[in-house]
Amino acid sequence: MINPMLSFMQLCDSNFPSGAFSHSFGLETYIYEGSIYDAGTFEAAMRMYMSNQMAYTDALACRLAYEAIEQEQFGRVIELDILLLALSLPKETREGTRRIGERMAKLCMDLYDSPLIRQYYEAIRRKEVSGHPSIVFALAAHHLQADKTEAIAAHLFSGVHSLIQNAVRAIPLGQTDGQRILLSLQPLIQEIADRAEQMAEDELGMSMPGLEVAQMRHEQLPVRLFMS
Amino acid sequence: MSMTGTLRLKAVCRDEKTVVADTYFDGAFKVARPVYFQENEPTVYSLHVGGGYVGGDRYHTDVVLEENARLTLTTQSAAKVYKTPDEPVYQSMNIQLAKNSVFLYMPDPLIAYEQARFQQETVIRMEKGATLLYSDSMTPGWSKSGRPFRYEWIRSRVKIYEDGVLQAYDHLFLKPDAGDLLSLMQMEGCTHVGSLFIVSPLLQAGWKEEVGDLFQSYSEQARIGFSELKNGGCTIRILANASHVIEEIVLQCTNWMRGKLNQEAVALRKY
């Protein structure tokens, strides 16, 4: 049996080729416009992003997917994927999430001998679903017999980690600043992972209007480091 | 569950003329006789006769457009939501659009006052080939303290299905108490939020440039984002500090679409 902790370290490693390093999910708009410009403004933005966007989309989606897999209801995984795609209104964010989801699904299928991951990837190939990283993470975590809340925390960590890495490059910030922010956001990651358990299913995808506008406006930025 | 207000509208097209074939209203909802700004294409104004929404109120609207029917639905004044001490106000709307029908929906803003809780659920089911323009906007009402955002929360869910497939799901939740609603990523210093969805076979490649041009003159008054839905439709989100700014932008978009529909431009607002 594989130790789930070691597997999480592999899945959350910045070298894990999910493609997340190409996406800022709207943060680049704020960097370009000057409202995120140093470690302090970035960390404050991350806290807002995590407490809302990541909490009600990534964390809740990961929990719902994990529970559907546990209850052997693959149909609900498919429904969740369709909801998540429709909830993502800005095109670049939707496309970026889809690409990362598909790459992760392919990788996890190649790494793990899991019939469910294979089934999900084949559904992506047949275009029945689009692929979502939170669903792939839940599938992988369940296959590795990892605890649900720990899986949600690891999934959040990997998203936070790659956004910080991107901010270090884009703002730019010092490597130590990046690591310090990653450390100071860890209690919030745990808090959101715990809170996901109490969320109602129909709270899925609650969005913030300003972030959506920033994600949409990214399409028109004259200079871009990231695809979203 | 008894309803505070119910409205049902059905528009059919007979010999190139759309008529409102079936109108039903009950309780606090009423509709005036259709107005024909455009020959053959009615505009319906709905109104709330109670003066405002209060706690526990429940409203439901059904709109059906048959093949080739063209209808514009708007309101006579803003929906004011007052204090809801026990139960929130709940409003639902179902819209069904058959092939080649055209439905434009431009309500006045929703104004949520101190301690108001409001939830709306909108489901749009359209056949491919139909045209939808759906807009709405939300704003905090005046409060005794003079501070904005004294309402408790507003939740709005809009789902758009085309040929049975979910194409867009907008889930907006504004809760002033949870963190700073005026901050970055939330309302970003603005009090008003407006949303617009357009799904239509008339949206051709290049619509983004056209929409971008429409918004040029509003860059000082509003922060606007627009993007493409997965079915090629258009989604627009507007942040501003005044209702009239959002209304003007929505009206610009509406008249831009009316141009594509060979309809004349209108100014629907009543004040």
Side-chain angles (χ1 to χ4, degrees):
Chain A
M1 192 192 125
I2 313 172
N3 179 342
M5 184 194 67
L6 296 178
S7 296
F8 281 158
M9 289 175 76
Q10 181 178 5
L11 287 169
C12 301
D13 189 276
S14 55
N15 280 324
F16 192 75
S18 67
F21 62 86
S22 304
H23 295 277
S24 86
F25 299 112
L27 290 174
E28 191 176 22
T29 306
Y30 293 120
I31 296 170
Y32 177 82
E33 291 171 346
S35 36
I36 294 177
Y37 54 88
D38 62 5
T41 49
F42 173 66
E43 187 180 332
M46 278 304 291
R47 287 183 185 277
M48 192 51 97
Y49 184 82
M50 291 164 68
S51 308
N52 294 279
Q53 186 67 27
M54 291 186 107
Y56 291 101
T57 300
D58 306 65
L60 182 53
C62 191
R63 186 202 113 196
L64 295 174
Y66 191 101
E67 288 170 357
I69 300 157
E70 250 182 340
Q71 293 154 15
E72 295 176 16
Q73 293 182 312
F74 196 72
R76 281 178 53 207
V77 175
I78 301 291
E79 282 168 30
L80 183 63
D81 184 291
I82 292 166
L83 279 181
L84 288 166
L85 184 73
L87 278 162
S88 192
L89 299 175
K91 186 182 182 181
E92 289 183 347
T93 296
R94 187 171 65 243
E95 282 296 306
T97 306
R98 188 190 61 73
R99 275 175 199 232
I100 296 169
E102 183 174 357
R103 276 177 87 161
M104 277 179 67
K106 171 81 169 67
L107 262 163
C108 288
M109 184 184 74
D110 293 340
L111 293 175
Y112 306 123
D113 183 21
S114 155
L116 279 181
I117 297 178
R118 180 170 298 278
Q119 198 180 336
Y120 186 60
Y121 182 68
E122 278 163 7
I124 296 173
R125 290 297 300 270
R126 287 195 302 268
K127 298 199 187 309
E128 290 162 15
V129 296
S130 62
H132 195 282
S134 305
I135 294 177
V136 180
F137 209 95
L139 283 163
H142 187 266
H143 171 74
L144 296 162
Q145 299 177 358
D147 170 76
K148 181 176 61 176
T149 308
E150 281 175 12
I152 297 168
H155 176 45
L156 290 170
F157 180 91
S158 102
V160 169
H161 184 38
S162 59
L163 284 174
I164 291 175
Q165 291 246 314
N166 291 348
V168 165
R169 283 193 283 148
I171 294 177
L173 300 175
Q175 291 288 352
T176 309
D177 279 333
Q179 292 303 319
R180 201 176 281 134
I181 294 169
L182 186 54
L183 178 64
S184 85
L185 291 177
Q186 284 176 26
L188 183 56
I189 291 176
Q190 189 57 49
E191 188 195 312
I192 295 167
D194 292 334
R195 193 151 55 88
E197 200 58 42
Q198 323 303 328
M199 291 176 190
E201 204 167 328
D202 68 359
E203 288 182 303
L204 184 74
M206 274 162 32
S207 63
M208 296 185 285
L211 176 66
E212 277 183 333
V213 170
Q215 291 174 337
M216 291 176 182
R217 290 173 76 97
H218 188 267
E219 292 175 34
Q220 282 103 39
L221 290 192
V223 186
R224 300 144 43 104
L225 277 177
F226 302 102
M227 291 163 73
S228 72
Chain B
M1 184 66 74
S2 84
M3 302 301 283
T4 320
T6 309
L7 170 62
R8 284 204 296 268
L9 282 175
K10 184 171 166 184
V12 300
C13 181
R14 292 184 185 136
D15 306 325
E16 297 187 355
K17 182 186 168 101
T18 297
V19 293
V20 183
D22 188 9
T23 312
Y24 169 85
F25 49 85
D26 186 45
F29 276 174
K30 277 200 170 29
V31 290
R33 281 164 68 86
V35 184
Y36 284 83
F37 292 115
Q38 181 86 22
E39 206 187 345
N40 298 337
E41 296 171 21
T43 294
V44 172
Y45 286 82
S46 73
L47 55 140
H48 187 284
V49 293
Y53 295 24
V54 294
D57 278 6
R58 295 177 75 86
Y59 300 91
H60 182 73
T61 303
D62 268 316
V63 178
V64 177
L65 266 68
E66 293 195 345
E67 224 173 299
N68 301 317
R70 290 182 165 205
L71 180 76
T72 297
L73 178 62
T74 183
T75 52
Q76 207 151 53
S77 60
K80 300 184 175 79
V81 185
Y82 297 108
K83 191 156 68 173
T84 58
D86 301 317
E87 289 286 311
V89 171
Y90 182 84
Q91 172 162 280
S92 55
M93 186 174 193
N94 290 335
I95 299 167
Q96 266 184 65
L97 308 177
K99 207 167 71 183
N100 295 326
S101 64
V102 174
F103 180 59
L104 312 180
Y105 180 60
M106 294 105 77
D108 287 275
L110 177 98
I111 306 176
Y113 288 89
E114 204 156 353
Q115 294 174 47
R117 288 171 296 162
F118 176 81
Q119 178 164 346
Q120 73 173 11
E121 309 275 349
T122 305
V123 179
I124 299 149
R125 294 181 184 276
M126 53 196 297
E127 290 178 4
K128 227 181 175 71
T131 289
L132 166 77
L133 183 147
Y134 175 94
S135 65
D136 64 17
S137 65
M138 287 138 194
T139 137
W142 171 90
S143 71
K144 268 187 227 160
S145 64
R147 283 184 295 157
F149 293 124
R150 302 302 297 155
Y151 60 79
E152 271 186 48
W153 50 258
I154 296 174
R155 186 189 297 281
S156 168
R157 280 191 276 242
V158 180
K159 290 181 177 169
I160 302 175
Y161 294 85
E162 201 179 28
D163 283 349
V165 181
L166 183 64
Q167 296 291 351
Y169 177 4
D170 179 22
H171 187 173
L172 204 59
F173 182 68
L174 305 172
K175 188 172 198 272
D177 279 350
D180 184 1
L181 195 60
L182 285 168
S183 75
L184 201 70
M185 296 189 185
Q186 292 280 17
M187 295 294 288
E188 307 192 342
C190 293
T191 47
H192 294 53
V193 56
S195 309
L196 190 69
F197 292 92
I198 304 172
V199 176
S200 173
L202 297 167
L203 279 187
Q204 297 293 333
W207 66 259
K208 283 188 180 173
E209 285 74 25
E210 295 174 38
V211 165
D213 289 344
L214 287 180
F215 297 154
Q216 290 269 318
S217 53
Y218 293 96
S219 58
E220 298 295 312
Q221 302 165 68
R223 189 164 163 80
I224 310 173
F226 56 92
S227 191
E228 192 180 321
L229 297 171
K230 73 185 178 81
N231 63 350
C234 160
T235 170
I236 300 169
R237 192 84 81 190
I238 307 155
L239 299 176
N241 277 310
S243 289
H244 72 90
V245 174
I246 293 180
E247 276 171 29
E248 271 178 41
I249 294 167
V250 169
L251 192 63
Q252 289 272 348
C253 295
T254 308
N255 284 333
W256 167 70
M257 270 314 285
R258 290 181 72 94
K260 294 184 186 297
L261 291 158
N262 294 317
Q263 295 173 322
E264 283 166 39
V266 288
L268 287 177
R269 296 275 76 89
K270 313 93 205 172
Y271 19 77

